[in-house]
Amino acid sequence: MIELQHISRLLCSALAAALLVGCASKEPQGPQITLQDPEQTPREKWSDAMKILRDDLGIKGMKDVPVETARQYGLIASASEPIRGSQGSMGDLAFGSMGVALFLIPTGQVTQPWQQDQAVAWVPIEKANNMDEAIKFAIDTWNQARSHAFNDPSPIKVNPSVVADFASGQYANPKDIFLKNPIPPAGNPINGPSFVKIGKYYGPIFMGDFQSQVHMDAKRSKMNDDEGMLRLSERLPNWFVIFNSGQKPVKRITAGYPPAILISGKAFQFIGK
């Protein structure tokens, strides 16, 4: 199994280097892959990860890898075998959570929410009487999960935010940007997101500056960010979502990893249907 994972990481790096779309690199380019733009694709062909990212987290910009491309490069079962899934699964990936970074689109000059790791909670109404209590409960639950996921959690804190990191309207003024003090959520309970049982929830409550925190938490526990996010997700209740924005492969340093939606340790990949 370890040998297979090692081989898959090497293949991931090779594919990612060749297949990244729109890259301005002067290095020789491999086959050109057209990613599946949800703005121009019927909703029934979206991955479940895409539906959660756009509908529940309100984050746009990500694209799916077409299912035919995923089969062509051995990421899922061959065309003769149906994609299997349960509870919103993306199907059985041949390389498991390793995946490939060919899903990634190069970052532009201005960072967008879909290019940043994000975490968000919807607190069930029975856990809190108002939004302030819900925020406190979410942060307490978050920190408890971190204490179990990492050997030595960093002192970096997340701050409750009404929107995702790098989204418009996250901060009230330049001073709050400098202090990383986003506008907190407010308001009454709402209908829950698509992946939880029907009911009322307080949210969404975004974990501001999550990427900085999880990077240091993982580093101090001698993990990469991908492993750290998965381990943290495994210890969080299913009303928390982590968006792993992925990492491009860096030659001779890391094989990279694909973006994914994580819910209670379950990875939803951005592979269309």
Side-chain angles (χ1 to χ4, degrees):
M1 181 61 71
I2 294 176
E3 181 180 357
L4 176 60
Q5 291 179 349
H6 177 67
I7 292 173
S8 72
R9 279 196 177 276
L10 293 177
L11 180 57
C12 291
S13 293
L15 287 174
L19 303 179
L20 283 172
V21 178
C23 181
S25 170
K26 296 181 180 180
E27 297 178 4
Q29 296 296 302
Q32 294 301 302
I33 298 301
T34 300
L35 297 181
Q36 184 172 294
D37 187 347
E39 299 288 352
Q40 302 174 7
T41 305
R43 181 180 172 83
E44 59 268 21
K45 291 187 176 294
W46 292 8
S47 67
D48 290 348
M50 181 66 70
K51 293 175 183 177
I52 293 171
L53 186 68
R54 289 174 69 94
D55 297 347
D56 298 320
L57 277 68
I59 295 176
K60 297 181 179 181
M62 179 60 70
K63 296 182 180 181
D64 281 328
V65 171
V67 65
E68 296 82 5
T69 301
R71 289 192 178 115
Q72 178 183 354
Y73 287 94
L75 303 180
I76 58 176
S78 66
S80 62
E81 299 178 22
I83 298 178
R84 301 183 300 278
S86 62
Q87 299 179 353
S89 171
M90 294 301 95
D92 294 334
L93 294 180
F95 298 145
S97 61
M98 299 300 178
V100 290
L102 65 85
F103 304 80
L104 301 173
I105 304 171
T107 302
Q109 293 182 343
V110 179
T111 301
Q112 300 294 324
W114 63 270
Q115 295 164 327
Q116 191 83 357
D117 299 331
Q118 309 280 358
V120 58
W122 283 263
V123 176
I125 192 171
E126 62 268 20
K127 302 293 186 180
N129 295 313
N130 53 55
M131 181 63 82
D132 288 341
E133 288 186 10
I135 290 173
K136 183 180 184 305
F137 185 78
I139 297 297
D140 288 346
T141 303
W142 178 264
N143 287 331
Q144 184 177 9
R146 287 177 64 218
S147 69
H148 289 95
F150 305 109
N151 298 328
D152 182 24
S154 76
I156 297 175
K157 296 181 179 180
V158 292
N159 293 307
S161 176
V162 67
V163 293
D165 281 341
F166 289 93
S168 176
Q170 186 178 18
Y171 296 97
N173 52 60
K175 179 181 178 181
D176 285 343
I177 295 175
F178 177 77
L179 296 175
K180 295 185 176 180
N181 183 30
I183 299 171
N188 297 317
I190 61 173
N191 292 330
S194 62
F195 48 86
V196 297
K197 65 180 182 180
I198 296 175
K200 295 293 184 178
Y201 294 76
Y202 290 99
I205 303 169
F206 285 89
M207 305 289 112
D209 205 26
F210 163 61
Q211 181 161 298
S212 297
Q213 185 191 70
V214 75
H215 174 72
M216 290 306 301
D217 283 350
K219 183 177 181 180
R220 289 162 71 121
S221 291
K222 295 180 171 53
M223 308 175 193
N224 64 33
D225 292 5
D226 186 39
E227 294 167 330
M229 281 184 271
L230 181 59
R231 177 169 292 195
L232 178 58
S233 176
E234 290 171 342
R235 290 154 177 81
L236 286 168
N238 66 355
W239 40 268
F240 265 100
V241 173
I242 289 177
F243 167 54
N244 177 346
S245 62
Q247 174 64 57
K248 295 180 188 177
V250 179
K251 191 174 182 179
R252 290 188 292 272
I253 298 177
T254 177
Y257 49 85
I261 291 288
L262 304 175
I263 301 175
S264 294
K266 186 178 182 66
F268 297 79
Q269 305 291 342
F270 287 90
I271 296 179
K273 297 180 178 179

